[in-house]
Amino acid sequence: MRILHVWNTAGVASIIAKFMDRLFSTESLVVHRKKFDKFGFTVYGELWDCSSYRFILKIIWLARKFDIIHIHDLDILLPILRRIYPKKPLIIHYHGSKIRNKWSQRKKYWKRADIIFFSTKDLCETDTPEQAIYLPNPVDIDLFHPISGVKKKQNTALAFLYYLDEKKAKEYADKYGLALEFLERNIPYRKLPEVLNRYSHYIDRTEIPSLSKTGLEALACGLKVIRWDGKMIEKLPEEHYPDVVVRKLFSIYQSLLQG
């Protein structure tokens, strides 16, 4: 089975492709534009240094070699690919702001897909299509895990200035008796595990009612995470382990190819 992943929102495509290939011996290729990967999320796949026009042309040409085309957020490609490859399985996988409160607006694109995925439960809205499937964000546990030898700041929470109400974050820190440090969310992906491991707690985004991918990665690193509603959680939920996610996805891939 050959799968082409187009775009790499928050590195999710790289994680899926890596663990899918490892567990099921599939042949996956992740392609993303270099310009849009400033944090280095594409640890598995290719970065193309080209214009949007050339990127689309390359995708159209490359798609002929693959059994399944799995598009992440870049739904404008769906009508084009459907027209050129009418029988090829097409998947659209939404990851957040691209689709949040925009399901009706983007119907002209997602209606061309055979399968629709959304990655966080808050994206299940009144106009979300009934056939859309929740596929939890996987965490790359090869990268995100407790690191021995990193000096940890006990009783100290990290919060990134991203989808964050600073006042609310301070209230949460006070509630649990924690010191609080704010950082800009500009840390390279490969360095993020070490940064997270320096803290005992992480205050996740406060403005969206679902755990962020960074919040999940903090849990995988052994931190206690305070989520949007002030509740503290201490363990990465099983549904976010990469083997769990790709087993569910592989089953869907198989059903697509079997018609």
Side-chain angles (χ1 to χ4, degrees):
M1 187 187 300
R2 304 194 73 205
I3 307 105
L4 176 62
H5 289 268
V6 182
W7 220 246
N8 195 19
T9 310
V12 171
S14 282
I15 301 170
I16 288 173
K18 180 173 74 168
F19 286 91
M20 181 79 72
D21 289 355
R22 182 183 297 177
L23 285 173
F24 297 105
S25 299
T26 50
E27 296 179 39
S28 303
L29 175 62
V30 178
V31 292
H32 193 41
R33 284 184 67 194
K34 185 176 182 180
K35 177 181 178 180
F36 294 95
D37 193 20
K38 62 181 180 178
F39 296 127
F41 285 121
T42 308
V43 297
Y44 194 87
E46 298 179 3
L47 288 174
W48 293 351
D49 191 4
C50 63
S51 67
S52 58
Y53 179 72
R54 185 165 176 77
F55 182 83
I56 292 171
L57 288 179
K58 289 177 73 173
I59 291 299
I60 292 170
W61 179 248
L62 190 60
R64 76 193 194 283
K65 298 181 178 180
F66 290 83
D67 302 307
I68 292 174
I69 312 301
H70 189 144
I71 299 170
H72 298 260
D73 277 343
L74 204 64
D75 56 8
I76 59 169
L77 285 176
L78 287 166
I80 304 169
L81 290 171
R82 176 57 71 211
R83 191 175 306 118
I84 296 171
Y85 303 105
K87 295 183 180 180
K88 194 177 290 288
L90 298 180
I91 293 171
I92 184 62
H93 192 159
Y94 288 116
H95 295 279
S97 58
K98 183 76 174 187
I99 199 65
R100 186 176 290 109
N101 301 316
K102 299 174 186 174
W103 283 99
S104 296
Q105 177 184 334
R106 305 202 71 81
K107 183 178 180 179
K108 60 184 176 181
Y109 300 117
W110 55 253
K111 71 178 183 179
R112 307 286 184 175
D114 296 291
I115 296 288
I116 305 164
F117 290 128
F118 58 94
S119 61
T120 57
K121 290 181 179 178
D122 66 283
L123 298 178
C124 188
E125 300 160 352
T126 54
D127 56 348
T128 302
E130 290 183 7
Q131 69 270 30
I133 300 168
Y134 169 54
L135 187 71
N137 275 328
V139 174
D140 189 340
I141 56 176
D142 290 347
L143 290 174
F144 293 90
H145 53 79
I147 303 174
S148 60
V150 175
K151 187 175 180 181
K152 189 177 292 289
K153 300 177 182 180
Q154 296 297 335
N155 298 313
T156 302
L158 166 65
F160 285 120
L161 295 168
Y162 186 73
Y163 285 115
L164 187 79
D165 181 323
E166 292 181 49
K167 181 179 178 181
K168 192 177 291 186
K170 290 174 182 176
E171 290 173 357
Y172 291 164
D174 290 343
K175 175 182 176 180
Y176 293 103
L178 302 171
L180 176 60
E181 292 187 18
F182 291 107
L183 291 178
E184 294 289 342
R185 180 62 180 91
N186 56 3
I187 298 165
Y189 186 56
R190 288 185 180 274
K191 293 185 178 180
L192 185 57
E194 182 180 347
V195 172
L196 291 172
N197 268 274
R198 295 174 191 161
Y199 298 86
S200 59
H201 296 73
Y202 178 74
I203 297 179
D204 202 18
R205 59 191 183 186
T206 56
E207 302 307 287
I208 297 175
S210 64
L211 285 173
S212 71
K213 185 165 173 286
T214 306
L216 297 170
E217 290 161 347
L219 288 169
C221 288
L223 281 72
K224 297 177 181 179
V225 171
I226 302 169
R227 65 182 202 177
W228 69 93
D229 58 0
K231 181 180 178 181
M232 184 183 292
I233 52 179
E234 302 186 21
K235 186 179 179 182
L236 180 67
E238 184 178 342
E239 67 177 11
H240 297 287
Y241 276 86
D243 59 321
V244 174
V245 175
V246 300
R247 287 182 194 282
K248 177 180 180 179
L249 181 55
F250 185 70
S251 177
I252 294 171
Y253 282 168
Q254 284 183 311
S255 66
L256 267 178
L257 292 178
Q258 290 165 4

